Amino acid sequence: MLTTATALAVLLGSVTLAAAGAGPAAADSSALLPLKSSGDIVVDGVHHRVFISDPTAGQVVVTDYAGTVTAAVGSLPGVHGLELSPDSGTLYAAVRDADAVVAIDTATATESRRFATGAGAGPWYVALAGGKLWFSYGSSGNGNIGSLDPSGVDPKVTLGQDTGRTFYDAPILDASAGAPGTLVAGAPGQSPVELAVYDVSSGTASRTAYAFDPGSTGGGNLQDLAVTPDGKDVVTASGAPYYQAVYKLTDLTADGKYVTNTYPNAVDIAPNGDVAAGTSSSYEPDVHVFKQGVPTPVKQYDLPDTGTPGDSDLLAPAGLAWAPDESRLFALSKNGADAYALRIYDAPTKASTTLTVNAPATAGRGTSLALTGTLASSAAFGADTKVSVTRTDDESPAGKPLGTATVETDGSYTLADTPPAGGKVTYTVTYAGDDAHAGASATHEVSVAKSAAALTLNNDGKVYGYGSDVTFAAHLGTTYKNRTVEIWADPYGSDKPNTLVKKGTVDSHGNLSATVRLTRDTKVSATFTGDTRYAARTVTSSAYTRVAISTSLSGSYKSATAWNQKYSYFHQSKDPVQNTTMSMYPGRTYQLQVQRYADGAWRTTATEYFSLDRHGRDAATLDGTPPIGPRFRIRSSYIDPKSGDNVNTTTYGAWKYFVFTR
């Protein structure tokens, strides 16, 4: 037995569609990328392009905002860190294995200039600050920072800018327009985390703050960092602790946190300060979106499993980037089969909304039905929040707006509608969203019963002679717009197709007639194809048709009328011949029946079936020595289906009477 809740759900046929989901959500869209590895990701808001470095393949892959690859800049061995110029005109790429920083024209996605950094100074990360381009290089205890002026005709490269020899390997670099002349660096992959801040406004780097295990968290394995747009803090993503830690640039003391989950590995900050934080989490959300300064996420996204079953996709290190207008968030993922994908999240800073719509699964045409549902979100809605409703059916295939319904304080809404058309009716409920909430929509299909059309066809069950021209009259009752009727004739037998005899608009009385020549039993159909309010209907009449039979007796020496019949007279020595001609059908036989008059009644003496030739003819000879004097009669008949087919109705031929004499 169904529980009450289950029974109601089945009765109402509830359907729910959520925009961005109430809990961890999937990407709004995604696209596979031809990457062998990943280093960094940057978004160009002017040209609507996404740039992704691939160190292994030595290229920067370029996509549009939909993730479609539009170009690839090659000959960049070991390319890793990327930095976009303030005017979005140039992308700077750190090309480690070429000992160079390469400038890429963002409009054409081609290399425009190459800056040599010197042998052994292959750059890993780049950042613009204080009017110069800063790059990190070195490894195995020789990590350091260099600079160059990309605007110069022959820019001077200055290495060894970190005179304190702070880092073991080339550090991660970042800067912000909110802190001009300030550069932040962090040791990649190291435990515990090591950070440093430099004043680079003079053209040389002077370390102003340093922390080894800042905040005393014991965290390590730094993967990414980002300086806030106001230049106040740096946000880090390290394998531990399980949050993106925030530190002041002035002294690198703790200044808050954005709580995520296991293994933080990415962070990017939008121009308004909203934070995208990433984690390498197999069974939990991977992308977390925060409003500036709020430690709990406004939205989370869980990467799907697209590779080996049970092997969840993971976020690539430093694999997050905002569109500058914050309309989208881009995430770079990798599955268990080493396939990379760019995932695009729309309106990521808006709170998720969930919209449901309930309605009966079936309804009668012209009967009022109630649409109900709920709108829910983690963020409260305003007092006059509305959802709009559209009905799509055969009369309104493009959709007909039904108006709006006000969302009550408990999130519920109600709207009544009377569907005019039958068939599949789809209701679409839409919440447009606002500055704080993502939009959402939900649909529900209702099967609306159409009215039954009255349709009749005459002559059902009647029997007609072979070759008769019979008029069949169809009558159509009330309908909506369609007043067309089709009359079809389907003769019995597999060799004759069902044929349209007439198609037309019924007259003012609802009638349409067609004449059919009958040579076989025929199923005649009248069809109304229906309209938006009346269901299609077909009615049939079975008209039965006799065969054409012609018979004669030959061999008699005379004929005369006797006993009120015409008799043929045969000498006893002469064998009568029954000649039969019948309308033909392949394999058809005919029944030959002989009767003798005895004791006041006709009594059958013989009944046999004989084959017809291809023209439908046969001549049957009655041989033997018959008695003299008794009266006889004979006839040829078609017997359905004993005559070998069923394409005609049983037809008895006329009796032929005869007598034998000496």
PDB file of all heavy atoms in Angstrom, residues 178-201:
ATOM      1  N   GLY A 178      45.070  47.315  -5.911  1.00  0.00           N
ATOM      2  CA  GLY A 178      44.733  47.930  -4.637  1.00  0.00           C
ATOM      3  C   GLY A 178      45.927  48.156  -3.739  1.00  0.00           C
ATOM      4  O   GLY A 178      45.837  48.894  -2.748  1.00  0.00           O
ATOM      5  N   ALA A 179      47.047  47.532  -4.063  1.00  0.00           N
ATOM      6  CA  ALA A 179      48.291  47.720  -3.302  1.00  0.00           C
ATOM      7  C   ALA A 179      49.405  47.971  -4.306  1.00  0.00           C
ATOM      8  O   ALA A 179      50.263  47.113  -4.535  1.00  0.00           O
ATOM      9  CB  ALA A 179      48.590  46.491  -2.449  1.00  0.00           C
ATOM     10  N   PRO A 180      49.403  49.145  -4.940  1.00  0.00           N
ATOM     11  CA  PRO A 180      50.415  49.426  -5.973  1.00  0.00           C
ATOM     12  C   PRO A 180      51.825  49.361  -5.392  1.00  0.00           C
ATOM     13  O   PRO A 180      52.072  49.803  -4.274  1.00  0.00           O
ATOM     14  CB  PRO A 180      50.054  50.837  -6.446  1.00  0.00           C
ATOM     15  CG  PRO A 180      49.278  51.433  -5.324  1.00  0.00           C
ATOM     16  CD  PRO A 180      48.529  50.313  -4.682  1.00  0.00           C
ATOM     17  N   GLY A 181      52.697  48.765  -6.164  1.00  0.00           N
ATOM     18  CA  GLY A 181      54.079  48.663  -5.693  1.00  0.00           C
ATOM     19  C   GLY A 181      54.297  47.560  -4.693  1.00  0.00           C
ATOM     20  O   GLY A 181      55.336  47.522  -4.033  1.00  0.00           O
ATOM     21  N   THR A 182      53.362  46.648  -4.566  1.00  0.00           N
ATOM     22  CA  THR A 182      53.498  45.542  -3.608  1.00  0.00           C
ATOM     23  C   THR A 182      53.432  44.215  -4.349  1.00  0.00           C
ATOM     24  O   THR A 182      52.566  44.005  -5.203  1.00  0.00           O
ATOM     25  CB  THR A 182      52.395  45.597  -2.548  1.00  0.00           C
ATOM     26  OG1 THR A 182      52.471  46.848  -1.851  1.00  0.00           O
ATOM     27  CG2 THR A 182      52.533  44.459  -1.550  1.00  0.00           C
ATOM     28  N   LEU A 183      54.344  43.310  -4.009  1.00  0.00           N
ATOM     29  CA  LEU A 183      54.406  41.976  -4.599  1.00  0.00           C
ATOM     30  C   LEU A 183      54.346  40.951  -3.478  1.00  0.00           C
ATOM     31  O   LEU A 183      55.014  41.104  -2.450  1.00  0.00           O
ATOM     32  CB  LEU A 183      55.703  41.802  -5.393  1.00  0.00           C
ATOM     33  CG  LEU A 183      55.917  40.463  -6.098  1.00  0.00           C
ATOM     34  CD1 LEU A 183      54.942  40.300  -7.261  1.00  0.00           C
ATOM     35  CD2 LEU A 183      57.363  40.347  -6.600  1.00  0.00           C
ATOM     36  N   VAL A 184      53.548  39.911  -3.656  1.00  0.00           N
ATOM     37  CA  VAL A 184      53.416  38.845  -2.661  1.00  0.00           C
ATOM     38  C   VAL A 184      53.942  37.554  -3.267  1.00  0.00           C
ATOM     39  O   VAL A 184      53.698  37.257  -4.441  1.00  0.00           O
ATOM     40  CB  VAL A 184      51.954  38.673  -2.224  1.00  0.00           C
ATOM     41  CG1 VAL A 184      51.828  37.552  -1.198  1.00  0.00           C
ATOM     42  CG2 VAL A 184      51.419  39.972  -1.651  1.00  0.00           C
ATOM     43  N   ALA A 185      54.679  36.787  -2.476  1.00  0.00           N
ATOM     44  CA  ALA A 185      55.267  35.533  -2.945  1.00  0.00           C
ATOM     45  C   ALA A 185      55.034  34.439  -1.914  1.00  0.00           C
ATOM     46  O   ALA A 185      54.975  34.703  -0.705  1.00  0.00           O
ATOM     47  CB  ALA A 185      56.757  35.707  -3.201  1.00  0.00           C
ATOM     48  N   GLY A 186      54.876  33.200  -2.394  1.00  0.00           N
ATOM     49  CA  GLY A 186      54.686  32.053  -1.511  1.00  0.00           C
ATOM     50  C   GLY A 186      55.387  30.834  -2.046  1.00  0.00           C
ATOM     51  O   GLY A 186      55.424  30.604  -3.262  1.00  0.00           O
ATOM     52  N   ALA A 187      55.927  30.021  -1.161  1.00  0.00           N
ATOM     53  CA  ALA A 187      56.669  28.820  -1.553  1.00  0.00           C
ATOM     54  C   ALA A 187      55.713  27.725  -1.993  1.00  0.00           C
ATOM     55  O   ALA A 187      54.878  27.285  -1.198  1.00  0.00           O
ATOM     56  CB  ALA A 187      57.534  28.342  -0.401  1.00  0.00           C
ATOM     57  N   PRO A 188      55.792  27.245  -3.237  1.00  0.00           N
ATOM     58  CA  PRO A 188      54.852  26.227  -3.717  1.00  0.00           C
ATOM     59  C   PRO A 188      55.166  24.845  -3.146  1.00  0.00           C
ATOM     60  O   PRO A 188      56.329  24.429  -3.066  1.00  0.00           O
ATOM     61  CB  PRO A 188      55.042  26.257  -5.232  1.00  0.00           C
ATOM     62  CG  PRO A 188      56.464  26.684  -5.421  1.00  0.00           C
ATOM     63  CD  PRO A 188      56.742  27.653  -4.293  1.00  0.00           C
ATOM     64  N   GLY A 189      54.127  24.138  -2.736  1.00  0.00           N
ATOM     65  CA  GLY A 189      54.265  22.749  -2.318  1.00  0.00           C
ATOM     66  C   GLY A 189      55.031  22.537  -1.035  1.00  0.00           C
ATOM     67  O   GLY A 189      55.334  21.396  -0.682  1.00  0.00           O
ATOM     68  N   GLN A 190      55.333  23.577  -0.336  1.00  0.00           N
ATOM     69  CA  GLN A 190      56.194  23.451   0.848  1.00  0.00           C
ATOM     70  C   GLN A 190      55.360  23.358   2.119  1.00  0.00           C
ATOM     71  O   GLN A 190      54.286  23.926   2.228  1.00  0.00           O
ATOM     72  CB  GLN A 190      57.118  24.674   0.933  1.00  0.00           C
ATOM     73  CG  GLN A 190      58.076  24.669   2.120  1.00  0.00           C
ATOM     74  CD  GLN A 190      58.981  25.878   2.088  1.00  0.00           C
ATOM     75  OE1 GLN A 190      59.804  26.007   1.197  1.00  0.00           O
ATOM     76  NE2 GLN A 190      58.805  26.784   3.044  1.00  0.00           N
ATOM     77  N   SER A 191      55.886  22.636   3.103  1.00  0.00           N
ATOM     78  CA  SER A 191      55.252  22.558   4.414  1.00  0.00           C
ATOM     79  C   SER A 191      56.281  22.904   5.488  1.00  0.00           C
ATOM     80  O   SER A 191      57.395  22.361   5.478  1.00  0.00           O
ATOM     81  CB  SER A 191      54.706  21.151   4.666  1.00  0.00           C
ATOM     82  OG  SER A 191      53.709  20.806   3.728  1.00  0.00           O
ATOM     83  N   PRO A 192      55.922  23.811   6.395  1.00  0.00           N
ATOM     84  CA  PRO A 192      54.680  24.587   6.387  1.00  0.00           C
ATOM     85  C   PRO A 192      54.738  25.693   5.338  1.00  0.00           C
ATOM     86  O   PRO A 192      55.745  25.881   4.671  1.00  0.00           O
ATOM     87  CB  PRO A 192      54.624  25.159   7.793  1.00  0.00           C
ATOM     88  CG  PRO A 192      56.052  25.308   8.181  1.00  0.00           C
ATOM     89  CD  PRO A 192      56.769  24.134   7.579  1.00  0.00           C
ATOM     90  N   VAL A 193      53.645  26.436   5.247  1.00  0.00           N
ATOM     91  CA  VAL A 193      53.535  27.515   4.273  1.00  0.00           C
ATOM     92  C   VAL A 193      54.537  28.616   4.605  1.00  0.00           C
ATOM     93  O   VAL A 193      54.765  28.957   5.763  1.00  0.00           O
ATOM     94  CB  VAL A 193      52.102  28.078   4.263  1.00  0.00           C
ATOM     95  CG1 VAL A 193      52.015  29.339   3.419  1.00  0.00           C
ATOM     96  CG2 VAL A 193      51.124  27.019   3.755  1.00  0.00           C
ATOM     97  N   GLU A 194      55.140  29.170   3.543  1.00  0.00           N
ATOM     98  CA  GLU A 194      56.094  30.273   3.709  1.00  0.00           C
ATOM     99  C   GLU A 194      55.688  31.403   2.771  1.00  0.00           C
ATOM    100  O   GLU A 194      55.517  31.190   1.571  1.00  0.00           O
ATOM    101  CB  GLU A 194      57.502  29.789   3.382  1.00  0.00           C
ATOM    102  CG  GLU A 194      58.582  30.818   3.648  1.00  0.00           C
ATOM    103  CD  GLU A 194      59.976  30.264   3.389  1.00  0.00           C
ATOM    104  OE1 GLU A 194      60.082  29.208   2.711  1.00  0.00           O
ATOM    105  OE2 GLU A 194      60.946  30.880   3.857  1.00  0.00           O
ATOM    106  N   LEU A 195      55.503  32.610   3.309  1.00  0.00           N
ATOM    107  CA  LEU A 195      55.055  33.765   2.545  1.00  0.00           C
ATOM    108  C   LEU A 195      55.981  34.942   2.763  1.00  0.00           C
ATOM    109  O   LEU A 195      56.621  35.062   3.820  1.00  0.00           O
ATOM    110  CB  LEU A 195      53.631  34.180   2.970  1.00  0.00           C
ATOM    111  CG  LEU A 195      52.498  33.162   2.799  1.00  0.00           C
ATOM    112  CD1 LEU A 195      51.219  33.718   3.413  1.00  0.00           C
ATOM    113  CD2 LEU A 195      52.290  32.843   1.326  1.00  0.00           C
ATOM    114  N   ALA A 196      56.022  35.829   1.750  1.00  0.00           N
ATOM    115  CA  ALA A 196      56.790  37.064   1.889  1.00  0.00           C
ATOM    116  C   ALA A 196      56.101  38.162   1.088  1.00  0.00           C
ATOM    117  O   ALA A 196      55.466  37.899   0.073  1.00  0.00           O
ATOM    118  CB  ALA A 196      58.219  36.880   1.389  1.00  0.00           C
ATOM    119  N   VAL A 197      56.238  39.411   1.574  1.00  0.00           N
ATOM    120  CA  VAL A 197      55.683  40.584   0.907  1.00  0.00           C
ATOM    121  C   VAL A 197      56.831  41.526   0.581  1.00  0.00           C
ATOM    122  O   VAL A 197      57.735  41.737   1.420  1.00  0.00           O
ATOM    123  CB  VAL A 197      54.636  41.289   1.788  1.00  0.00           C
ATOM    124  CG1 VAL A 197      54.056  42.504   1.059  1.00  0.00           C
ATOM    125  CG2 VAL A 197      53.523  40.329   2.185  1.00  0.00           C
ATOM    126  N   TYR A 198      56.795  42.116  -0.632  1.00  0.00           N
ATOM    127  CA  TYR A 198      57.882  42.990  -1.067  1.00  0.00           C
ATOM    128  C   TYR A 198      57.314  44.342  -1.510  1.00  0.00           C
ATOM    129  O   TYR A 198      56.268  44.410  -2.152  1.00  0.00           O
ATOM    130  CB  TYR A 198      58.639  42.366  -2.248  1.00  0.00           C
ATOM    131  CG  TYR A 198      59.262  41.036  -1.940  1.00  0.00           C
ATOM    132  CD1 TYR A 198      58.520  39.857  -2.086  1.00  0.00           C
ATOM    133  CD2 TYR A 198      60.576  40.934  -1.509  1.00  0.00           C
ATOM    134  CE1 TYR A 198      59.079  38.623  -1.816  1.00  0.00           C
ATOM    135  CE2 TYR A 198      61.145  39.698  -1.237  1.00  0.00           C
ATOM    136  CZ  TYR A 198      60.388  38.548  -1.390  1.00  0.00           C
ATOM    137  OH  TYR A 198      60.953  37.323  -1.115  1.00  0.00           O
ATOM    138  N   ASP A 199      58.079  45.390  -1.187  1.00  0.00           N
ATOM    139  CA  ASP A 199      57.818  46.723  -1.751  1.00  0.00           C
ATOM    140  C   ASP A 199      58.668  46.830  -3.007  1.00  0.00           C
ATOM    141  O   ASP A 199      59.903  46.813  -2.941  1.00  0.00           O
ATOM    142  CB  ASP A 199      58.198  47.800  -0.740  1.00  0.00           C
ATOM    143  CG  ASP A 199      57.954  49.212  -1.274  1.00  0.00           C
ATOM    144  OD1 ASP A 199      57.556  49.347  -2.453  1.00  0.00           O
ATOM    145  OD2 ASP A 199      58.172  50.164  -0.522  1.00  0.00           O
ATOM    146  N   VAL A 200      57.982  46.944  -4.168  1.00  0.00           N
ATOM    147  CA  VAL A 200      58.710  46.993  -5.441  1.00  0.00           C
ATOM    148  C   VAL A 200      58.486  48.332  -6.137  1.00  0.00           C
ATOM    149  O   VAL A 200      58.752  48.462  -7.333  1.00  0.00           O
ATOM    150  CB  VAL A 200      58.273  45.823  -6.357  1.00  0.00           C
ATOM    151  CG1 VAL A 200      58.630  44.479  -5.742  1.00  0.00           C
ATOM    152  CG2 VAL A 200      56.768  45.888  -6.645  1.00  0.00           C
ATOM    153  N   SER A 201      57.987  49.310  -5.410  1.00  0.00           N
ATOM    154  CA  SER A 201      57.657  50.600  -6.022  1.00  0.00           C
ATOM    155  C   SER A 201      58.882  51.319  -6.565  1.00  0.00           C
ATOM    156  O   SER A 201      58.773  52.134  -7.490  1.00  0.00           O
ATOM    157  CB  SER A 201      56.937  51.485  -5.005  1.00  0.00           C
ATOM    158  OG  SER A 201      57.738  51.671  -3.847  1.00  0.00           O
TER     159      SER A 201
END
